[in-house]
Amino acid sequence: KEPEKTFIVVSYQNADIKISARNQSGNVNVNELMKKGIKGLGAAIAGGHIRASGANIRKKDLDRFKRNILGKN
């Protein structure tokens, strides 16, 4: 119902976090957003498509991931 918005869902799995991002309009490239989010993080991976993408990071890196995607480094 809100295709212009970008949704990011985080699920905790032991010492790691799985992140899923969606933007159905394509006005935000969530694949690039996830890659931006993991920049400088150890043991992190990201990939996907323009409208649907994901990443896996360590729990300890969540705050840095958030700062990366918001451009607040």
Side-chain angles (χ1 to χ4, degrees):
K1 294 189 177 200
E2 300 187 55
E4 298 296 318
K5 292 188 178 181
T6 300
F7 293 89
I8 298 174
V9 177
V10 174
S11 61
Y12 293 86
Q13 300 175 341
N14 299 320
D16 297 323
I17 294 176
K18 180 180 177 184
I19 303 166
S20 295
R22 302 288 185 271
N23 179 285
Q24 292 307 305
S25 71
N27 68 344
V28 173
N29 183 333
V30 293
N31 186 37
E32 291 300 319
L33 187 65
M34 293 295 100
K35 289 179 181 178
K36 179 180 175 183
I38 67 165
K39 189 170 183 177
L41 304 183
I45 58 169
H49 306 279
I50 292 171
R51 294 183 171 144
S53 188
N56 287 335
I57 64 171
R58 294 177 182 159
K59 278 186 185 176
K60 69 179 187 71
D61 292 329
L62 182 58
D63 286 337
R64 173 91 183 266
F65 178 86
K66 289 179 191 178
R67 287 194 306 271
N68 285 351
I69 64 171
L70 296 173
K72 295 183 177 185
N73 293 334

